[in-house]
């Protein structure tokens, strides 16, 4: 049997998972094309003080079944460590002391109302990689909370809390994020394990990226870095002076890519991405939150009137040990597109100004490293994802990526493995 040629566009986790699954079949010839000089997409690990630190997504929840299965298959289970159980704080009102979850003054009556009304929508089985897009009638999270609590305006502390957590993890505001995409995460964390049950790669999630790429190459697949795909016509990819003809193409790049306008001219690319900086900063002294030094993280309520704002901070010494004493990681939302004109000094000033505001006694702050996520977390709309689902397999085009479901490592890997399964079923039958 002549080998089938499959091209995978995009070297994030979705593309890597697709290429890996395909490369295991000896009847398939796989080429993966990545625009950047590195693989992993929003998974990046960098060395800080001799320790590999994750700048992108890194928490592995116990219900990440496809992700954990892949980790076991690649022989990486022993690299996972339990996330330390330390206090997480929330600053839901400017100028007030941050509080732990147990200290927040939630209304018991409102809580019962939310969970009782949400039960039949949230708790039926839901796949994070393929959520039911009609269950919430295209409501945003804010819409749903306000409707549930019977308020025409802001839904109070509950809405503020959910928005703070959502944006602190680099997701979009809950006034724009659709409930259909986030409901599976709420369900899974409630029933099968929240952040207290997570694991992480103590030597960096790049271990997973590297092991996947090594396995693809070992099985005969080819990975092409610095290879932007500029166009597509039928089953031919255009890359500057080079063309790549294929039997099947899997598109696993982000939705902002120009290719989507060529692939789906009839479909509006109705998905946008949040815009963040993630930085590791060394402070002049050990930061104290809630009167303690060994806190895990703190989340800050978004203030939309501000152009840039720290929305979450992680205490790196708690995660990685004493070699990172006095070091924190900050996620900074950027609410305009002026960053490109600022240059490195301007970016560092944003970070040091923000940290001086949040930790006023600590005047000295040194930026050790920083990643600019101009494409951070996807905020997709139901009709767009429905259109992608209908397009799967037509004209030998397939799609993978965490914009298709609840954005997460699990969704990226699941959609990649699913795309590979459908490709194999189609071309090898």
């Amino acid at each position: 049997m002549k080998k089938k040629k499959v091209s995978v566009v995009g070297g994030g986790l979705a593309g890597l998972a697709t290429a890996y699954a395909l490369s295991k079949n000896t009847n398939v010839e796989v080429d993966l094309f990545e625009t950047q000089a590195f693989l992993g997409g929003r998974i990046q690990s960098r060395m800080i003080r001799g320790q590999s630190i994750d700048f992108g997504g890194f928490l592995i929840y116990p219900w990440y079944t496809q992700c954990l299965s892949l980790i076991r298959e690649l022989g990486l289970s022993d690299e996972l460590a339990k996330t330390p159980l330390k206090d997480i704080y929330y600053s839901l009102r400017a100028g007030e002391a941050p509080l732990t979850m147990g200290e927040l003054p939630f209304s018991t009556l409102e809580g019962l109302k939310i969970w009782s009304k949400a039960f039949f929508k949230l708790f039926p089985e839901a796949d994070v990689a393929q959520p039911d897009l009609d269950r919430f009638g295209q409501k945003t999270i804010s819409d749903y909370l306000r409707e549930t609590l019977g308020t025409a305006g802001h839904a109070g502390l509950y809405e503020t809390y959910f928005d703070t957590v959502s944006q602190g993890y680099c997701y979009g505001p809950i006034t724009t994020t659709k409930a259909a995409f986030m409901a599976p995460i709420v369900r899974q964390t409630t029933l099968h394990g929240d952040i207290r049950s997570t694991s992480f790669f103590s030597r960096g999630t790049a271990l997973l990226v590297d092991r996947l790429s090594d396995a693809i190459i070992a099985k005969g697949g080819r990975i092409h870095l610095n290879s932007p795909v500029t166009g597509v016509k039928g089953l031919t990819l255009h890359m500057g002076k080079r063309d790549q003809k294929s039997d099947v193409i899997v598109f696993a790049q982000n939705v902002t890519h120009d290719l989507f306008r060529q692939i789906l001219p009839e479909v509006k690319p109705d998905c946008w991405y949040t815009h963040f900086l993630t930085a590791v900063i060394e402070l002049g002294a050990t930061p104290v939150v809630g009167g303690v030094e060994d806190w895990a993280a703190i989340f800050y309520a978004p203030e939309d009137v501000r152009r840039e704002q720290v929305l979450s901070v992680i205490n790196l010494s708690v995660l990685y040990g004493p070699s990172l004493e006095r070091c924190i990681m900050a996620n900074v939302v950027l609410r305009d597109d002026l960053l490109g004109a600022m240059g490195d000094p301007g970016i560092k000033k944003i970070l040091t100004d923000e940290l001086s505001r949040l930790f006023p006694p600590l005047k000295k702050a040194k930026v050790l490293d920083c990643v600019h996520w101009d494409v951070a977390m996807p905020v997709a709309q139901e009709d767009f994802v429905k259109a992608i689902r209908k397009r799967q397999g037509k004209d030998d085009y397939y799609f993978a990526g965490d914009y298709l479901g609840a954005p997460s490592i699990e969704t990226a890997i699941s959609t990649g493995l699913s795309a590979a399964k459908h490709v194999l079923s189609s071309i090898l039958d």
Side-chain angles (χ1 to χ4, degrees), residues 63-342:
W63 42 270
Y64 277 13
T65 54
Q66 295 290 332
C67 177
L68 287 167
S69 176
L70 183 61
I71 288 169
R72 287 191 296 270
E73 186 174 322
L74 294 169
L76 288 172
S77 296
D78 290 344
E79 295 287 349
L80 288 176
K82 288 294 183 184
T83 306
L85 292 177
K86 299 294 182 180
D87 281 332
I88 298 174
Y89 288 84
Y90 304 89
S91 178
L92 302 187
R93 294 186 179 90
E96 293 187 6
L99 302 173
T100 62
M101 183 70 171
E103 296 171 332
L104 294 174
F106 289 113
S107 162
T108 303
L109 183 61
E110 287 185 343
L112 289 172
K113 185 183 290 187
I114 289 173
W115 290 113
S116 63
K117 290 190 175 183
F119 183 84
F120 292 106
K121 288 186 178 290
L122 283 177
F123 292 103
E125 191 62 42
D127 183 350
V128 293
Q130 189 153 336
D132 181 349
L133 299 176
D134 296 316
R135 188 173 294 175
F136 290 86
Q138 303 209 6
K139 292 183 176 67
T140 66
I141 299 171
S142 286
D143 291 337
Y144 185 70
L145 286 172
R146 294 175 192 186
E147 178 186 88
T148 301
L149 293 176
T151 174
H154 193 279
L157 188 61
Y158 279 96
E159 186 171 354
T160 299
Y161 169 76
F162 278 107
D163 197 35
T164 300
V165 173
S166 177
Q167 295 198 56
Y169 280 114
C170 301
Y171 290 105
I174 65 171
T175 53
T176 55
T177 299
K178 295 300 188 68
F181 293 100
M182 296 307 294
I185 289 181
V186 175
R187 177 191 188 276
Q188 295 287 22
T189 54
T190 303
L191 296 181
H192 301 298
D194 59 15
I195 192 171
R196 294 168 294 183
S197 306
T198 58
S199 302
F200 74 110
F201 285 99
S202 58
R203 294 200 295 145
T205 310
L207 286 171
L208 176 59
V209 173
D210 293 343
R211 190 64 60 90
L212 278 168
S213 60
D214 289 346
I216 292 166
I217 293 168
K219 295 177 186 300
R222 294 181 290 268
I223 294 176
H224 310 268
L225 299 177
N226 297 307
S227 298
V229 177
T230 57
V232 58
K233 184 175 182 180
L235 290 171
T236 299
L237 296 173
H238 303 301
M239 291 164 284
K241 297 179 180 179
R242 175 187 174 189
D243 287 347
Q244 171 81 11
K245 294 182 179 180
S246 308
D247 295 302
V248 173
I249 302 175
V250 180
F251 297 97
Q253 77 279 33
N254 69 67
V255 178
T256 62
H257 199 292
D258 287 342
L259 279 181
F260 268 85
R261 296 180 182 86
Q262 298 178 43
I263 303 163
L264 302 165
E266 74 284 3
V267 178
K268 179 184 176 184
D270 204 358
C271 174
W272 59 277
Y273 290 79
T274 58
H275 188 185
F276 274 81
L277 292 174
T278 298
V280 171
I281 299 153
E282 179 184 311
L283 299 174
T286 301
V288 174
V289 174
V292 298
E293 295 181 350
D294 62 345
W295 51 278
I298 179 168
F299 291 79
Y300 297 93
E303 300 171 35
D304 293 343
V305 295
R306 301 181 55 206
R307 193 176 70 177
E308 61 270 331
Q309 181 191 359
V310 170
L311 292 183
S312 59
V313 174
I314 299 170
N315 188 348
L316 291 178
S317 65
V318 167
L319 268 184
Y320 297 105
S323 66
L324 290 167
E325 186 179 2
R326 295 183 288 108
C327 291
I328 60 173
M329 175 176 282
N331 287 314
V332 187
V333 67
L334 302 170
R335 298 188 175 99
D336 63 29
D337 296 320
L338 298 177
L339 189 69
M342 290 180 180

Side-chain angles (χ1 to χ4, degrees), residues 46 55 277-280 344 347 351 367-372:
R46 298 190 177 189
F55 278 72
L277 292 174
T278 298
V280 171
D344 189 58
I347 292 171
L351 293 167
V367 179
L368 301 182
D369 205 347
C370 179
V371 175
H372 174 205

